[in-house]
Amino acid sequence: METAEIARRFLAFFENNGHTVVPSASLVAEDPTLLLVNAGMVPFKPYFLGQRTPPFDRATSAQKCVRTKDIEEVGKTARHASFFQMLGNFSFGDYFKEQAIPLAWRLLTSSVADGGFGFDPERLWVTVYLDDDEAEAIWRDTVGVPPERIQRRGMEDNFWSMGVPGPCGPCSEIYFDRGPAYGAEGGPIADENRYLEVWNLVFMQYERGPGESKTDFEILGDLPKKNIDTGMGLERMAAILQGVENIYETDTLGRILRRAAELTGTVYGDDDRADVSLRVVADHMRTATMLVSDGVRPGNEKRGYVLRRILRRSVRNLRLLSGDDKLYLHDLTDTAIEAMGEMYAELRTGADAIHSVIDAEERNFADTLRSGTALFNRAAEKTRATGGTTVSGADAFQLHDTYGFPIDLTLEMAAEQGLRVDEDTFRSLMAEQRETAKRDAKAKKLGNADISVYARLLDGSGATDFLGYTDHESEARVLGLIVDGASATAASAGQSVELVLDRTPFYAEGGGQLADKGTVTAEGRGVVDVDDVQRPLPGLFVHRGTVREGRITVDDRVHAAIDTDRRAAVSRSHSATHLIHSALRNALGPTAGQAGSENQPGRLRFDFTASKPLSTAELTEVEDEVNTVLLDDIQVRDFQTSIDEALAMGALAMFGEKYGDRVRVVEMSDYSRELCGGTHVGATGQLGVVKLLGESSVGSGVRRVEAAVGIDAFRRLSRESLLVGQLSEQLKTPREDLPERIDSIVGRLRAAEKEIERLRSAQVLEAAAGLAAAATTRGAALFVGHRAPDGTTADDLRRLATDVRQRLGEDRPAVVAVAAVPKDRPVVVIAVNKAGQRQGLKAGDLVGTAARALGGGGGGKPDLAQGGGSDPAAVETALGAVEQQVAQTA
């Protein structure tokens, strides 16, 4: 039975039993305490916590999940995976154990022909919580499971909570006996490899208090309503029903794994190390594909770092498998899209954009590998220079943390050079980083209460009626006030306040468009200056501002009015964003998908997927096309329709965005048609002019254009025209000849700077003969200490030091110490000949002495080292300290 069919059967069964089928939420969690959705119940968490009222009593879902806590274990076992899908059924105060348990049993044991999974009842075992007599009785007396196949387990195994104060309750788990070949008899408590968990039924019936661990907390009492939360791992169920050994041999992951083996010329099952790498690649490529599809982009923090890390682990393991540096991710992304496309159609429709992001990250990591290799080589050189054989754990951690190098790569590179790595220190630093992350995560969990104030307002008063598409002002009633994060009945002059109105013309920030500003006035009572509007929950508009005068209270009748000039300017920018998007797609192709935007008054920025920078010609083409559309004065129309109809007519959806069944389409004839909830002009001619200000990179595979719109664009063009005129007059050159004239001037300046640098360098080196001749004897060594003229570069100091050292020869030990202040910060270079090194004089040691005197640090090889500091006045002192150390050592 294919994975997609397993999910279809599960959802159909519960839909036929009165449950609402809820589509999988995006992997990008709405919960601010989570980076990514990591469990099937996460989208329902506000309902279980009582923060929001569920729109249904029963629900069922197949939820996408990502967990990266054990990412280092992925591939090492056949059980760990970073992406998985959780099938679940949920009850919000509707039914409880007496229905949840029989429903689960019926679905598992009904025949395939009857829509079930066809499990043999004799091979199923169950566990219940230690004192859950009720659940045991239902399994035994209602379902008919023999008492000997019902086992009781403790809190560690069969009691669930979120880890923070809130709902909790006992669990009951269902296990499948895979047979004697997989382990010992005796049920789940004897061997969980043989007895494989397939379903966990959570009975939320208590409220827990604070505690430090999974088992250390107090039960405060019963919940007002008893809830059901179940979870069945789709991949594990697929492995059982498809008769394969593990999840990596199922129809989805197995397809990606086999393709990775084909591309790299390996065979799964022939070599344990290769098998680990193949499992890593299969898991990570599926995870990366799903993350990119939900709008995540590679980066150095949060979700972006998760994606970057798994992509880089994929590249590294592919190189270990193939022994070459070919680019394989495009092909494997295709395979992942096909493997998962039946369940998630958006993967196929968004394939071009997914490829664009992943391909760019793979190319960028190829460059990173080169940079990281250079860093490792420096660390290895430093290790050998000090006579060591072990690369420091700190260097290994920097490679891991900065360049994304897996520790196995660092170990391999060290072994190739006959070195070891201080793994203990590395793992200590990693553990410290994880503990910091855990503490941060634990602190963030306490943020569950943050939205409860808004949730109570939404539940008590209902959604805000938004009038802003047609009205710029309206009468309204104050439904709620929030001051300092808590509900309030009134707010007085000078206080920051959040207002919830029953109706509003204010646009709340969203879709890249900044919020409206304006005023809320209670006649004769008070005025609030609104400077931001947000929607912390769907349908709830929260107006944030300051009470300018008087007093505002709940139930006040008020007049809400937006700043119309600002709204018009923002709307022009938003309409310009749509036009630029279309022009970019026309110039670059459909892969130029939207990756973010911000529409300000008179100015915008638009992020889009692209593998390389735009040329000047492409930018000019885009700008010309947009302004031509403005001249055509195309009417801007918006209308509501179904999501399917909108996509069928070619409307563009923002990549990774979430939409409901009914959507708003904004179209500009056939030139631009997008799903959008923002405000726009009535016709393109109202934009006046659009001027592109530049193009840049904002991340792997993502570029950004910025533009000025309307009067702001005109003013910018006017300023630039004035500047060009001034340059033309100053240089006595016609405007059209300015580029060539300026190039000529810049070329001459650069040539002059090079000549000045050459002369200065020559002047410094001219002193070499005199310095060598004036060398003094310190102990058994010759010593030269010299302060070069300020402004002398570090490169020139190195050349001077090595030149003087060469002139001193090898007959006697010799040390050369030269210093200068090139840019307000002193630099010192020390050179030691071979005879001096045999005498025990090391440049690295000597430069450390000088650098400490300068208030800084330094290092290098025994023959040449460089240091610096922050105290220019200490140069002579530093040279003197080196001279004294030479005298004592030689």
Side-chain angles (χ1 to χ4, degrees), residues 96-97 101 132 135 168-172 201-205 227-228:
F96 202 49
K97 299 175 187 178
I101 290 173
D132 194 352
C168 65
C171 306
S172 182
L201 313 179
V202 176
F203 311 126
M204 289 190 201
Q205 59 188 103
N227 306 312
I228 290 292

Side-chain angles (χ1 to χ4, degrees), residues 96-112:
F96 202 49
K97 299 175 187 178
E98 70 286 346
Q99 281 185 263
I101 290 173
L103 281 171
W105 187 263
R106 183 148 50 94
L107 175 57
L108 286 175
T109 59
S110 293
S111 69
V112 173

Side-chain angles (χ1 to χ4, degrees), residues 338-380:
E338 284 308 306
M340 303 298 292
E342 185 174 349
M343 290 188 65
Y344 305 100
E346 64 270 20
L347 295 177
R348 291 170 176 164
T349 58
D352 288 341
I354 296 171
H355 278 306
S356 177
V357 173
I358 293 178
D359 292 352
E361 181 64 14
E362 183 179 25
R363 287 192 297 270
N364 289 343
F365 186 45
D367 296 335
T368 297
L369 276 173
R370 285 190 288 272
S371 302
T373 301
L375 177 65
F376 174 81
N377 289 337
R378 287 198 294 274

Side-chain angles (χ1 to χ4, degrees), residues 163-372:
V164 294
C168 65
C171 306
S172 182
E173 296 174 331
I174 307 173
Y175 290 80
F176 172 69
D177 180 3
R178 297 199 291 170
Y182 292 92
E185 294 184 7
I189 62 174
D191 191 335
E192 286 199 10
N193 184 54
R194 169 175 172 173
Y195 299 90
L196 203 62
E197 179 195 334
V198 295
W199 207 340
N200 184 19
L201 313 179
V202 176
F203 311 126
M204 289 190 201
Q205 59 188 103
Y206 305 121
E207 181 182 359
R208 63 155 281 184
E212 295 300 319
S213 71
K214 188 175 179 180
T215 59
D216 177 24
F217 55 81
E218 180 184 0
I219 301 296
L220 302 179
D222 292 338
L223 291 175
K225 291 183 178 181
K226 296 179 179 180
N227 306 312
I228 290 292
D229 161 24
T230 82
M232 172 193 287
L234 180 53
E235 282 75 13
R236 183 175 293 186
M237 180 60 71
I240 294 171
L241 292 178
Q242 292 172 19
V244 296
E245 288 296 310
N246 57 67
I247 63 173
Y248 287 95
E249 298 175 15
T250 60
D251 57 328
T252 53
L253 275 174
R255 186 184 303 187
I256 307 170
L257 186 147
R258 288 190 295 273
R259 184 57 181 152
E262 291 172 7
L263 290 171
T264 57
T266 54
V267 178
Y268 186 64
D270 278 4
D271 178 82
D272 288 343
R273 290 186 65 183
D275 288 353
V276 169
S277 290
L278 286 170
R279 288 194 289 264
V280 169
V281 171
D283 170 82
H284 285 10
M285 288 310 302
R286 182 172 72 155
T287 305
T289 300
M290 303 305 294
L291 285 171
V292 174
S293 175
D294 277 349
V296 180
R297 297 292 180 270
N300 291 326
E301 58 182 22
K302 298 183 179 179
R303 303 179 188 97
Y305 179 72
V306 171
L307 175 57
R308 171 160 287 168
R309 187 179 180 198
I310 63 176
L311 284 172
R312 291 185 172 188
R313 280 172 58 87
S314 299
V315 171
R316 171 57 186 158
N317 280 276
L318 285 164
R319 291 191 176 198
L320 288 174
L321 289 165
S322 66
D324 59 43
D325 58 0
K326 293 180 182 177
L327 304 181
Y328 294 108
L329 297 197
H330 187 94
D331 194 311
L332 290 169
T333 303
D334 259 341
T335 307
I337 289 171
E338 284 308 306
M340 303 298 292
E342 185 174 349
M343 290 188 65
Y344 305 100
E346 64 270 20
L347 295 177
R348 291 170 176 164
T349 58
D352 288 341
I354 296 171
H355 278 306
S356 177
V357 173
I358 293 178
D359 292 352
E361 181 64 14
E362 183 179 25
R363 287 192 297 270
N364 289 343
F365 186 45
D367 296 335
T368 297
L369 276 173
R370 285 190 288 272
S371 302

Side-chain angles (χ1 to χ4, degrees), residues 11 29 31 51 82 108 255 284 319 501 543 610 613 623 685 691 795 812 820-821 838 890:
L11 298 176
D31 185 338
Q51 295 172 337
S82 57
L108 286 175
R255 186 184 303 187
H284 285 10
R319 291 191 176 198
L501 309 178
H543 307 70
E623 187 176 78
K691 174 62 182 173
D795 288 341
R812 295 176 60 185
V821 184
R838 288 193 294 271

Side-chain angles (χ1 to χ4, degrees), residues 12-66:
F13 174 84
F14 282 102
E15 184 176 27
N16 291 336
N17 282 276
H19 293 66
T20 299
V21 177
V22 179
S24 173
S26 167
L27 285 168
V28 178
E30 290 185 358
D31 185 338
T33 69
L34 296 173
L35 276 183
L36 297 162
V37 169
N38 60 4
M41 60 79 66
V42 166
F44 305 104
K45 187 175 172 183
Y47 306 144
F48 289 130
L49 289 172
Q51 295 172 337
R52 295 170 60 183
T53 302
F56 30 64
D57 294 328
R58 304 179 176 195
T60 184
S61 69
Q63 176 61 46
K64 300 176 289 187
C65 304
V66 168

